[in-house]
Amino acid sequence: MDFWNLAVKIIFLSQTTTGILGNFFLLIHYLIYYTEHALKPTDLILMHLMASNVLIVLSKGMPYTLADFGLKNFLNDFGCRLILYIQMVGRSVSISTTCLLSVFQAISISNRESCCENQKLKAAKYIGCSISSLWVMSISINFIFFVYILVKRNSKNTTRNRDYKYCSTGGGDDINAVLYTALVVCPEIFFSVLIAWSSVSMIVILYRHKQRVQHIHSCPVSSKNSPESQATKKILVLVCTFLAFYTLSSVLQGCIALLYNHSWWLVNVTRFTSLCFPSFGHFVLMSHYSFMPRFTLIWIWNKIS
């Protein structure tokens, strides 16, 4: 067991470090580009997605890593609930911006002759307002839940304490569970359905476009080499990766919520899967921007010198 404990420490330290550095590099890249050029709508959405991933890794991966290396229960009750609130905000923004990214790209690759052309122009025009609204919605909804559990923290109706290793806090009552389901779970399910629908739509559109191009023998450029097709495939890989890890993490977290006796393996696997997309999702984007880390480092070095 000592070997596995050491292995888990190394895995979570590597996962947290990779998540922080990778997301910061990508976020800095977008911020640098944003100061000199106008970001494309998809890049603007991706920038905020990376920001939400940073929040998740810092508020969840970092405390767990510190607890694994011996710094346990270093947060009081208020600090524990505050860090959980930050995690929830990061998670809500992550799934909502991923949904926005998927839906926007599905609209963007629609046929120009279709009735969605005006929608594409409006979506590109109001994308910044949409992102701001998602941040405000996530902060507000989770703040309502945060305030409620602070008011009820001394209630005698709480069921059991939850131990997060870096802190522990009282469990919620029935009203707490209903409030969480209504304000957090239901919107996440709605966003997940939209992500799945838009992803299937993109696959169908790309397939139909490929079929049409195959009949045009004189077409000099393959559809798979077009920038729009490449961008769509990149976003599809990113969205499918998010859905896979999000679904697995939700199932495992549901098992932990229903079970009173948590096995050591279940807890650690759940922690690992919940941080997989925030920690490794940026590799999907970096594979398409291979110059990005070098470009960012050169820019920072020139600014310093």
Side-chain angles (χ1 to χ4, degrees):
M1 183 58 72
D2 291 336
F3 169 77
W4 287 113
N5 284 329
L6 178 61
V8 167
K9 291 178 182 179
I10 295 174
I11 290 173
F12 283 116
L13 178 62
S14 303
Q15 187 183 34
T16 302
T17 305
T18 302
I20 293 174
L21 294 179
N23 285 294
F24 265 120
F25 267 124
L26 201 57
L27 188 58
I28 290 172
H29 164 68
Y30 284 127
L31 289 173
I32 292 172
Y33 191 85
Y34 189 60
T35 58
E36 299 176 356
H37 308 85
L39 281 177
K40 296 178 181 179
T42 53
D43 290 332
L44 186 61
I45 299 173
L46 288 171
M47 183 179 72
H48 286 269
L49 177 61
M50 295 302 106
S52 66
N53 287 343
V54 169
L55 276 183
I56 296 173
V57 175
L58 288 177
S59 62
K60 193 169 189 176
M62 184 68 73
Y64 270 128
T65 303
L66 293 175
D68 285 335
F69 283 90
L71 191 61
K72 298 182 182 296
N73 294 319
F74 57 90
L75 293 174
N76 57 16
D77 184 71
F78 177 80
C80 187
R81 297 184 186 277
L82 180 62
I83 206 75
L84 293 175
Y85 167 72
I86 296 174
Q87 291 176 21
M88 292 167 65
V89 170
R91 178 184 171 94
S92 297
V93 174
S94 180
I95 186 173
S96 58
T97 50
T98 302
C99 178
L100 179 63
L101 175 66
S102 183
V103 171
F104 175 78
Q105 191 63 19
I107 295 174
S108 298
I109 65 172
S110 313
N111 292 332
R112 293 184 180 275
E113 295 82 7
S114 68
C115 60
C116 293
E117 180 63 23
N118 292 331
Q119 296 179 10
K120 287 188 283 187
L121 296 176
K122 291 181 180 179
K125 184 177 180 181
Y126 297 109
I127 201 70
C129 181
S130 300
I131 295 174
S132 300
S133 299
L134 291 176
W135 275 99
V136 172
M137 181 186 68
S138 299
I139 292 172
S140 302
I141 289 177
N142 287 287
F143 184 74
I144 294 173
F145 182 73
F146 175 69
V147 170
Y148 174 80
I149 59 178
L150 279 181
V151 172
K152 299 293 289 184
R153 63 182 175 181
N154 295 323
S155 174
K156 296 181 180 179
N157 295 326
T158 55
T159 55
R160 53 174 174 152
N161 286 332
R162 286 191 173 185
D163 186 12
Y164 297 96
K165 297 183 71 173
Y166 53 86
C167 67
S168 60
T169 183
D173 53 16
D174 293 337
I175 299 178
N176 194 349
V178 173
L179 190 65
Y180 179 80
T181 302
L183 296 180
V184 180
V185 176
C186 289
E188 288 187 357
I189 294 175
F190 173 73
F191 285 133
S192 299
V193 172
L194 275 181
I195 292 173
W197 169 80
S198 56
S199 300
V200 172
S201 299
M202 282 189 281
I203 294 173
V204 171
I205 292 171
L206 287 176
Y207 176 77
R208 288 178 177 175
H209 183 64
K210 182 179 179 181
Q211 292 296 108
R212 286 197 302 268
V213 170
Q214 285 178 348
H215 292 288
I216 305 175
H217 302 289
S218 61
C219 182
V221 181
S222 174
S223 64
K224 69 178 182 179
N225 293 326
S226 65
E228 192 173 53
S229 177
Q230 292 286 355
T232 303
K233 291 176 182 178
K234 173 192 68 177
I235 292 173
L236 269 175
V237 172
L238 185 71
V239 168
C240 291
T241 303
F242 173 84
L243 276 179
F245 285 123
Y246 173 78
T247 303
L248 181 59
S249 174
S250 298
V251 171
L252 292 175
Q253 288 179 356
C255 292
I256 287 183
L258 294 174
L259 298 175
Y260 282 87
N261 296 321
H262 306 147
S263 68
W264 183 84
W265 284 105
L266 177 61
V267 172
N268 285 289
V269 170
T270 303
R271 285 173 50 195
F272 178 78
T273 54
S274 65
L275 287 170
C276 273
F277 180 79
S279 298
F280 304 127
H282 53 82
F283 284 117
V284 177
L285 301 176
M286 285 183 178
S287 64
H288 293 266
Y289 300 119
S290 58
F291 66 93
M292 185 273 299
R294 180 181 57 179
F295 168 78
T296 304
L297 289 175
I298 292 174
W299 186 89
I300 294 174
W301 176 259
N302 290 335
K303 290 295 182 180
I304 295 176
S305 58

